[in-house]
């Protein structure tokens, strides 16, 4: 009877904690979406993700369908955003460019996050010679402007998508490593980490089960902001001819192709430029909203 009572009591306690956690999560979401700017940025990001996923279904034409007889045609019912120099439908290419930009950005962020967080956690937890080696390497790369570093790597390795992700990831790895190291240095001095050491827990268990979960807030904020930054960087490289190559659609390449036609065919550059601008606005505003929401100082002041 006592065993059954204890089991039932533990189950009720577990259910209570689950409901409490779920209620707190819903309350947190309610507070986040209580600001109109957060609703706007989140809705815009969701729209971009929807376009990226369903671009093949939403596109009225094939993105690489060439029609020289219809080159530089102005916007019409058949071609909502006009056509480019080879008669390709700009609207279709812009939609597919969304897929290219977001997929490349997410791949870069995931790779940079996993690598950077791991290095930052190791550096902040073990300190000593390990910390010195990792941080000195980080300092060297931090001294090089991000655009120059990416340009140099792509110029050396080539404009392949894999090398492009690698070139864009280097800067992200450094940023994630620095943020993670700073948070780990503050967390590892807390009492509950000392208790973990006293219980004989392994370093791996302490880092991955008790320290890194408390770093999620800053990492989420940094990831959200960096997505827009990576998309802009990729468009910059494509604009310079070192990014995504034709015929794969890229906003940067499309903007560059229409530069010489701005006076009489501005739609060639303006259309992808608008999408790039909206994407940057969406992710930057969402990142700011997430940062303000997760900032404990902001919560105390309110």
């Amino acid at each position: 009877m006592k065993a059954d009572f204890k089991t039932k009591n533990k189950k009720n306690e577990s259910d209570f904690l689950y409901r409490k956690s779920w209620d707190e999560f819903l309350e947190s979401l309610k507070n986040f979406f209580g600001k109109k700017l957060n609703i706007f940025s989140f809705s815009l990001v969701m729209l971009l993700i929807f376009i990226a996923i369903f671009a093949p279904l939403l596109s009225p034409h094939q993105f690489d369908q060439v029609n020289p007889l219809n080159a530089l045609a102005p916007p019409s019912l058949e071609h909502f955003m006009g056509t480019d120099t080879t008669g390709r439908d700009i609207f279709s290419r812009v939609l597919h460019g969304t897929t290219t930009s977001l997929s490349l950005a997410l791949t870069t962020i995931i790779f940079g996050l996993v690598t950077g967080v791991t290095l930052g956690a190791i550096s902040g937890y073990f300190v000593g010679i390990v910390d010195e080696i990792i941080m000195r390497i980080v300092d060297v790369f931090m001294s090089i402007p991000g655009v120059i570093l990416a340009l140099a790597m792509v110029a050396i390795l080539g404009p392949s998508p894999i090398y492009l992700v690698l070139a864009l990831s280097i800067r992200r790895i450094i940023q994630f490593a620095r943020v993670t190291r700073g948070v780990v240095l503050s967390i590892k001095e807390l009492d509950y980490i000392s208790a973990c050491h006293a219980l004989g827990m392994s370093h791996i268990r302490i880092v991955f089960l008790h320290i890194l979960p408390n770093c999620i807030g800053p990492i989420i904020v940094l990831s959200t902001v960096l997505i827009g930054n990576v998309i802009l960087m990729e468009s910059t490289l494509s604009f310079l001819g070192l990014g995504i190559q034709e015929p794969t659609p890229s906003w940067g390449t499309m903007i560059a192709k229409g530069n010489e036609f701005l006076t009489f065919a501005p739609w060639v550059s303006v259309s992808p430029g608008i999408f790039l601008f909206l994407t940057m606005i969406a992710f930057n505003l969402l990142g700011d909203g997430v940062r303000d929401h997760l900032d404990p100082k902001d919560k105390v002041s309110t």
Side-chain angles (χ1 to χ4, degrees):
M1 291 292 292
K2 289 184 178 180
D4 293 341
F5 177 77
K6 288 182 179 179
T7 303
K8 185 177 181 181
N9 193 28
K10 287 183 178 179
K11 183 179 179 182
N12 292 336
E13 184 179 354
S14 177
D15 292 341
F16 172 76
L17 292 175
Y18 174 79
R19 288 195 300 270
K20 183 180 179 181
S21 300
W22 180 249
D23 290 341
E24 290 177 351
F25 173 72
L26 292 179
E27 183 66 23
S28 178
L29 281 182
K30 182 179 178 181
N31 293 334
F32 178 76
F33 288 114
K35 297 182 179 180
K36 294 181 180 179
L37 201 58
N38 292 344
I39 297 176
F40 169 76
S41 58
F42 180 80
S43 301
L44 196 52
V45 168
M46 288 298 102
L47 176 61
L48 290 169
I49 293 175
F50 176 83
I51 292 173
I53 295 174
F54 296 103
L57 299 177
L58 298 173
S59 303
H61 303 277
Q62 294 292 328
F63 70 85
D64 56 353
Q65 183 179 346
V66 177
N67 183 10
L69 298 177
N70 199 30
L72 297 179
S76 62
L77 292 178
E78 184 180 0
H79 301 284
F80 301 137
M81 296 181 178
T83 62
D84 62 10
T85 54
T86 58
R88 294 175 297 189
D89 182 60
I90 293 178
F91 180 68
S92 300
R93 291 184 62 77
V94 166
L95 294 183
H96 283 274
T98 308
T99 306
T100 302
S101 296
L102 288 186
S103 59
L104 187 69
L106 288 176
T107 305
T108 300
I109 291 300
I110 291 173
F111 180 72
L113 186 152
V114 173
T115 309
V117 168
T118 302
L119 290 175
I122 294 173
S123 177
Y125 183 79
F126 291 104
V127 296
I129 187 65
V130 175
D131 181 38
E132 284 295 321
I133 293 174
I134 295 177
M135 284 299 105
R136 295 301 74 78
I137 295 175
V138 167
D139 289 341
V140 169
F141 281 103
M142 279 296 293
S143 64
I144 306 173
V147 176
I148 302 300
L149 180 62
L151 281 172
M153 291 193 64
V154 173
I156 295 171
L157 300 175
S160 167
I162 296 177
Y163 295 144
L164 188 58
V165 169
L166 180 60
L168 295 173
S169 297
I170 298 298
R171 191 74 173 183
R172 286 0 105 186
I173 291 172
I174 295 169
Q175 292 168 313
F176 278 115
R178 287 172 64 89
V179 170
T180 304
R181 175 182 178 272
V183 179
V184 170
L185 282 173
S186 61
I187 292 177
K188 77 170 193 172
E189 302 298 331
L190 298 178
D191 292 339
Y192 81 94
I193 299 299
S194 301
C196 291
H197 287 294
L199 292 172
M201 294 185 184
S202 65
H203 294 307
I204 295 178
R205 184 177 179 183
I206 292 174
V207 170
F208 287 96
L209 294 184
H210 298 284
I211 293 181
L212 284 184
N214 291 291
C215 303
I216 291 178
I219 291 173
I220 290 176
V221 173
L222 183 60
S223 301
T224 308
V225 174
L226 288 183
I227 289 178
N229 183 268
V230 171
I231 291 175
L232 180 61
M233 185 74 73
E234 179 274 320
S235 298
T236 302
L237 293 176
S238 297
F239 181 85
L240 297 173
L242 295 174
I244 300 298
Q245 302 297 303
E246 293 279 9
T248 304
S250 170
W251 293 335
T253 305
M254 296 174 68
I255 294 172
K257 292 289 184 182
N259 263 352
E260 54 186 304
F261 308 107
L262 284 176
T263 55
F264 59 91
W267 55 84
V268 179
S269 293
V270 170
S271 299
I274 291 174
F275 264 71
L276 178 59
F277 172 76
L278 291 176
T279 302
M280 291 298 301
I281 288 293
F283 280 104
N284 285 336
L285 289 179
L286 183 61
D288 289 342
V290 173
R291 180 198 61 204
D292 294 340
H293 182 69
L294 297 178
D295 187 2
K297 294 181 181 178
D298 183 67
K299 292 180 180 180
V300 172
S301 63
T302 56

